[in-house]
Amino acid sequence: MKAPIFVKIKDEDNVAIAVHEIKQGTEIMDGVIARHDIPQAHKIALCDISKDQPVIRYGVVLGYAIDDIKKGDWINEFMLHLPTPPDVDNMKFATNLVTDLPEPPVTTWEGYVNPWGGPAGTRNILGISTTVQCVTGVLNVAVEKMKKELLPKYPNVDDIVPINHAYGCGVAINAPEAKVPIRALRNLSKHPNFGGQLMVVGLGCEKFTVEMLCEKADITPENVIILQEKKGFDEMIQALMEMADKKLAILNERKRVTLPLSDLLIGMQCGGSDAFSGVTANPSAGYAADMLVKGGATVMFSEVTEVRDGVYLLGERCVNEEVGKKLAAEMKWYDNYLDAGQVDRSANPTPGNKKGGLANIVEKAMGSIAKSGTSPIVEVLSPAEKPTKKGLIYAATPASDIVCGPCQLASGIGLQVFMTGRGTPYGLAIAPVIKVCSRNEMKEMWQDLIDINAGPVATGEATIAEIGTKLFMEIIDVASGRKQSFAEKYKLHNDLCIFNPAPIT
């Protein structure tokens, strides 16, 4: 079978994207000859498009031509006016509820029962929460010592992870939106991978107090260390070591057990996207997501600016008006948040996104949504909220990789699937990250960083269902501890950037 030259998504599309670079003069279809060199993943006009007329991909208006575009032209980000964002006040809800989902190959996995309740753990970690950035230096020294001297004694514990962050002091702690970082840190302290063991380090004079982080019953000498109450550095380190030793001994008794998929919570995220992301990697992830949901699991997807231009499509998939109105409210909140910063959703695409063929945020959003699959949306969450339903969930977070990740962790994900077109070594310390790339070239470049290659979908060598099923099995194997993703193997751990929309004083 001859490899395809271009990819066209819908019949009504008046552009296609280049599977590989198309040289000037190449006839890609009858009557369409490239008038320029078309870079890989970039768009070629399939017909003449007059000034102010729509440029259409995914069956959606990406924007309007700034000047006349000729058939065969290379279309890039400088050639389009951004369309008006969809109205969220008049969306239709529950009009596209798909229940005919692909059957998962397996319906169980091996995980750790969560003593706090909720989704099960995929790893067995001692997490050490902090109330303020000021304790980070001391804690990091202690954790290094713990890993060298204590962790080898407890072979059933995977890691020791300090929850360091930039919050806690110098902040408007009583501002209305301070609820977002406070909620995130509270939920992170009891992540499913921490096995019911709470360990907290505070300074003693910060605004974000231990009482704000912990339930009253949890504030005990067995769980909390305040550094200002210790006589110097050596006593601080000794106290941290003694508490960690006791927690590690308890965690070491945890064992994996066979669990239903209903105890699994997975996050979907994409970053370093290109024009293939919405053709290969994200639809494959969406297929895996549908399988997970069909088997009873919970799947979370996020990134407000990367769904905003397709939010009406999500509204149609909300199971009822209550869920739909929460979706609309989250979109409005973020519109106002961007307005306050004197920007709009067009601030999202990066130079790498554009180099990868994404003309604007509309095109990026339509590809991004594909990672959610087709399942009905059963719940919408504010940033860092915990889910109360099982199934497909939309969690409203910033699109920034290093902010979305911690938000999803705070919501309780035990594993994240991360799609990329341009490539990123991103990873999380608290939960494993499986990396899926959109192009064969990306896998060839980063053989030992990319776990699943969806590139064969673009070249016709594999189907979305085949790659999606492969990804599903990878999720089960990594969640069950039978495999490590590359990001986990190499300990590629990004800093925890806690979303804080409240003022800093």
Side-chain angles (χ1 to χ4, degrees):
M1 184 177 68
K2 187 178 179 182
I5 298 174
F6 65 91
V7 175
K8 180 182 177 183
I9 305 297
K10 295 286 186 71
D11 290 341
E12 59 265 40
D13 292 355
N14 56 14
V15 299
I17 64 169
V19 173
H20 301 288
E21 181 185 12
I22 298 174
K23 290 296 185 180
Q24 182 179 1
T26 301
E27 185 173 32
I28 71 161
M29 64 168 65
D30 288 344
V32 180
I33 298 173
R35 299 181 70 242
H36 317 88
D37 289 345
I38 313 295
Q40 183 187 36
H42 282 246
K43 288 171 289 300
I44 182 171
L46 302 179
C47 62
D48 292 340
I49 304 172
S50 301
K51 179 181 178 180
D52 295 328
Q53 290 305 299
V55 172
I56 301 171
R57 185 179 176 221
Y58 296 108
V60 170
V61 176
L62 302 185
Y64 298 92
I66 293 174
D67 295 303
D68 289 345
I69 297 171
K70 297 293 186 183
K71 179 168 60 176
D73 275 352
W74 169 28
I75 298 177
N76 57 50
E77 71 269 22
F78 303 110
M79 300 169 70
L80 304 180
H81 288 299
L82 198 64
T84 302
D87 176 24
V88 298
D89 287 321
N90 297 294
M91 289 194 296
K92 296 178 180 178
F93 306 131
T95 61
N96 182 24
L97 302 181
V98 175
T99 56
D100 184 18
L101 303 175
E103 292 287 340
V106 299
T107 57
T108 61
W109 64 293
E110 306 297 313
Y112 295 100
V113 173
N114 185 353
W116 286 309
T122 63
R123 294 296 182 267
N124 188 23
I125 294 170
L126 174 59
I128 306 176
S129 294
T130 63
T131 57
V132 67
Q133 221 281 332
C134 309
V135 307
T136 296
V138 170
L139 180 56
N140 284 349
V141 172
V143 168
E144 185 176 355
K145 187 175 175 68
M146 291 170 194
K147 289 184 177 183
K148 181 184 292 186
E149 299 178 14
L150 299 181
L151 199 54
K153 294 165 40 181
Y154 303 107
N156 296 329
V157 181
D158 295 312
D159 205 355
I160 301 170
V161 176
I163 312 301
N164 294 322
H165 56 88
Y167 197 68
C169 214
V171 294
I173 200 71
N174 294 317
E177 297 307 336
K179 66 186 177 186
V180 175
I182 292 172
R183 177 170 61 219
L185 290 168
R186 285 178 62 90
N187 287 346
L188 280 169
S189 72
K190 292 191 173 182
H191 189 273
N193 286 351
F194 295 165
Q197 295 306 301
L198 180 67
M199 181 169 173
V200 177
V201 183
L203 182 60
C205 60
E206 58 271 30
K207 288 185 176 182
F208 181 49
T209 63
V210 171
E211 288 75 17
M212 290 181 176
L213 177 65
C214 303
E215 301 293 336
K216 186 176 181 180
D218 291 328
I219 304 174
T220 67
E222 289 74 32
N223 294 336
V224 179
I225 292 174
I226 303 298
L227 296 188
Q228 287 178 349
E229 296 176 358
K230 303 301 174 185
K231 294 183 179 179
F233 177 75
D234 286 345
E235 187 172 306
M236 294 174 189
I237 298 297
Q238 185 62 32
L240 290 165
M241 293 288 287
E242 289 175 359
M243 182 179 288
D245 197 26
K246 293 174 183 176
K247 303 284 185 183
L248 288 166
I250 297 170
L251 289 173
N252 198 56
E253 298 302 312
R254 293 181 87 196
K255 298 289 189 296
R256 288 185 184 272
V257 297
T258 301
L259 296 170
L261 285 180
S262 56
D263 284 334
L264 186 59
L265 173 54
I266 299 297
M268 296 283 179
Q269 190 183 344
C270 52
S273 300
D274 68 359
F276 282 118
S277 294
V279 176
T280 63
N282 288 352
S284 298
Y287 191 90
D290 282 346
M291 278 186 162
L292 287 162
V293 170
K294 178 70 172 181
T298 302
V299 177
M300 180 180 298
F301 71 110
S302 300
E303 304 172 85
V304 173
T305 53
E306 294 187 17
V307 306
R308 181 64 179 84
D309 282 278
V311 68
Y312 58 96
L313 299 173
L314 301 185
E316 294 170 358
R317 292 168 57 192
C318 290
V319 292
N320 55 41
E321 186 174 1
E322 179 184 2
V323 175
K325 286 187 174 180
K326 179 72 183 295
L327 176 67
E330 292 296 338
M331 295 299 113
K332 286 182 180 179
W333 184 95
Y334 218 90
D335 286 349
N336 293 333
Y337 172 67
L338 293 175
D339 284 345
Q342 299 183 21
V343 296
D344 61 21
R345 71 206 194 283
S346 68
N348 176 308
T350 67
N353 294 151
K354 294 173 182 178
K355 190 173 181 181
L358 292 173
N360 58 26
I361 186 56
V362 182
E363 187 173 14
K364 188 177 182 182
M366 298 312 300
S368 178
I369 287 172
K371 66 179 177 284
S372 69
T374 62
S375 304
I377 298 170
V378 298
E379 189 170 27
V380 172
L381 304 178
S382 297
E385 281 187 331
K386 289 185 177 182
T388 63
K389 305 280 195 309
K390 295 183 186 295
L392 182 67
I393 289 176
Y394 178 70
T397 76
S400 167
D401 301 341
I402 57 172
V403 180
C404 176
C407 283
Q408 288 194 348
L409 285 172
S411 294
I413 63 164
L415 181 150
Q416 189 178 72
V417 181
F418 192 101
M419 282 60 69
T420 185
R422 307 295 295 172
T424 171
Y426 163 95
L428 300 168
I430 297 175
V433 176
I434 294 172
K435 212 66 67 59
V436 183
C437 72
S438 68
R439 299 176 295 130
N440 291 335
E441 291 83 356
M442 186 73 255
K443 177 60 176 175
E444 291 165 6
M445 178 68 74
W446 282 8
Q447 276 284 343
D448 56 355
L449 287 170
I450 299 296
D451 301 291
I452 298 288
N453 176 23
V457 173
T459 57
E461 300 166 280
T463 65
I464 287 170
E466 288 169 343
I467 301 297
T469 302
K470 183 178 180 180
L471 175 57
F472 173 90
M473 292 309 303
E474 187 83 358
I475 291 168
I476 298 301
D477 284 344
V478 173
S480 299
R482 293 189 285 266
K483 292 180 70 173
Q484 284 189 321
S485 66
F486 285 122
E488 182 179 23
K489 175 183 176 182
Y490 299 131
K491 296 188 180 297
L492 303 180
H493 299 159
N494 283 82
D495 293 338
L496 278 177
C497 293
I498 302 300
F499 183 35
N500 176 27
I504 295 176
T505 59

